[in-house]
Amino acid sequence: MEQAVPTPQSFDRVLSSMCTRPHPAAREAAERFLATNPGDPDTYRAVAALENDVVGVLGEITGLAEPHGYVASGGTEANIQAVRAARNRAATDDPNVVAPESVHFSFHKAADVLGVDLRTAPVDADGRAAPDAMATLADADTVAVVGVAGTTEYGRVDPIPALAELAADVDALCHVDAAWGGFALPFTDRDWDWNFAHAPIDTLTIDPHKLGRAAVPAGGFLARDSTTMDALAVETPYLESMSQATLTGTRSGAGVASAAAALDALWPDGYREAYERAQDNADWVATAFADRGFDVVDPVLPLVAVDVPTALFDALTERGWRLSRTACGELRLVCMPHVTREMLAAFLDDLDDCRRSA
Ligand SMILES: *Cc1c(COP(=O)(O)O)cnc(C)c1O
């Protein structure tokens, strides 16, 4: 008898994920480079060259002409590395990191593994970091001040220049987490200051495997100065290369090659088109919810949060929709590139149907 081949889920009803279908060129490149290890760059030179290309383009996207950094396993690793670099270069024995309470949960992991105290401050009424509230938590032991450019729950962009100023005041590094927002922000028509060109930030996270349409795993860690990388480097006696600044050792060449292929295919025009389509969809579905009388959080990036009753959320989940919630319990729709207008219309049809039969 023939064995059934396991197949992954379809994206047809996935409204909860920050990942998406890879670009076809990214998928193809991932397969081609499966058996490569950028963690040993002198042995695996072709993929190491691609990684340099990726870091260069990520620098272009984030306003940094001579970027340092690498393709990480994801935003979690990049954020851990930012905290690690900040801790390692500081003199204190009792390090703390100051962040808004909207930071991604990866910072809680970073604090845990690195023995750093994570201090989070309340956000303002619009869900953005409040620099004054953060300033009350910062002191001589603060090693990093963190801002988010595109929060995971509401897509909010923190006032990064004010946070960079706060970091400078306490001689800490300033890190920006643009893991999800980084591939959308260059194309928005608001004049948000979020990247290396806009403020004296030190490090930044931007993930090709989210809006960048690379295959998983492909995260991005970027640093303005080589000294940040030096703070992460350890000696590597058995490899051809002499030192390593990454957190993991053997790494996915598939992720690196797919990121290179996606950037090559999509930066900048493809990403602009994808962002514009996604934002139109987010605005459209937000209006559709508001017209039905729901409370909607204004989607400043392609991410919509809506207050829906638990029974309705559960009924939609039963119909196969993959949905997630914010910490406050709102329904959270991420308008990734696989989320089409037709898909959202079908979702709203189901929503109307569930409400009628409730
Ligand atoms: C998704 C996300 C992360 C974590 O990235 P992973 O690739 O899942 O490790 C970190 N920060 C933000 C803002 C995110 O949206």
Side-chain angles (χ1 to χ4, degrees):
M1 226 176 67
E2 234 178 90
Q3 195 87 21
V5 180
T7 50
Q9 87 301 321
S10 143
F11 275 102
D12 291 354
R13 294 198 162 207
V14 176
L15 297 172
S16 56
S17 184
M18 289 192 143
C19 292
T20 190
R21 268 186 213 109
H23 185 275
R27 181 185 291 274
E28 200 265 329
E31 282 174 11
R32 211 161 359 107
F33 277 82
L34 266 181
T36 63
N37 171 20
D40 189 359
D42 283 319
T43 304
Y44 296 90
R45 293 185 179 197
V47 77
L50 287 178
E51 183 164 29
N52 284 336
D53 296 345
V54 171
V55 170
V57 180
L58 292 179
E60 212 180 295
I61 296 172
T62 59
L64 192 57
E66 289 176 38
H68 303 274
Y70 69 97
V71 177
S73 56
T76 299
E77 180 185 336
N79 287 339
I80 291 172
Q81 289 281 78
V83 175
R84 181 171 161 237
R87 185 202 63 175
N88 288 358
R89 74 177 260 297
T92 171
D93 297 330
D94 189 18
N96 70 71
V97 168
V98 174
E101 65 189 5
S102 54
V103 280
H104 186 262
F105 53 78
S106 50
F107 286 94
H108 295 270
K109 298 182 187 178
D112 189 28
V113 293
L114 295 167
V116 167
D117 181 25
L118 179 65
R119 301 178 175 176
T120 60
V123 293
D124 71 14
D126 189 40
R128 303 172 77 218
D132 290 347
M134 286 172 65
T136 64
L137 301 180
D139 58 27
D141 293 322
T142 300
V143 299
V145 173
V146 177
V148 191
T151 59
T152 312
E153 291 201 303
Y154 300 108
R156 268 27 193 179
V157 181
D158 290 338
I160 302 301
L163 300 184
E165 214 171 289
L166 171 59
D169 285 348
V170 292
D171 193 24
L173 292 192
C174 183
H175 175 67
V176 172
D177 183 0
W180 179 73
F183 284 91
L185 287 163
F187 310 112
T188 55
D189 53 15
R190 307 179 192 233
D191 47 359
W192 273 318
D193 291 324
W194 64 282
N195 72 27
F196 288 102
H198 303 143
I201 64 169
D202 299 286
T203 53
L204 182 143
T205 294
I206 175 170
D207 279 359
H209 71 199
K210 289 184 169 172
L211 285 169
R213 296 191 61 195
V216 178
F221 173 73
L222 296 179
R224 186 187 293 276
D225 298 318
S226 61
T227 52
T228 303
M229 303 309 288
D230 295 343
L232 295 169
V234 299
E235 289 177 20
T236 52
Y238 341 89
L239 301 184
E240 275 200 69
S241 42
M242 301 304 287
S243 81
Q244 196 173 78
T246 55
L247 189 58
T248 56
T250 300
R251 292 188 289 134
S252 170
V256 170
S258 75
L263 290 167
D264 193 43
L266 296 168
W267 169 256
D269 296 341
Y271 290 128
R272 175 181 289 110
E273 285 159 24
Y275 161 71
E276 286 172 356
R277 215 175 314 120
Q279 189 67 51
D280 276 353
N281 282 337
D283 294 339
W284 182 81
V285 80
T287 303
F289 270 105
D291 288 348
R292 285 164 172 79
F294 291 97
D295 280 339
V296 184
V297 181
D298 178 34
V300 297
L301 285 174
L303 199 167
V304 186
V306 193
D307 197 6
V308 304
T310 305
L312 183 54
F313 185 99
D314 293 345
L316 288 162
T317 304
E318 258 166 49
R319 293 191 180 209
W321 294 100
R322 301 274 61 89
L323 308 171
S324 64
R325 288 181 180 285
T326 64
C328 299
E330 293 134 330
L331 166 66
R332 175 175 162 274
L333 303 178
V334 193
C335 293
M336 293 300 288
H338 67 266
V339 176
T340 60
R341 184 67 61 93
E342 295 69 38
M343 206 171 140
L344 290 169
F347 175 70
L348 289 170
D349 283 346
D350 270 0
L351 176 105
D352 292 338
D353 202 41
C354 290
R355 291 177 83 197
R356 271 193 299 271
S357 52

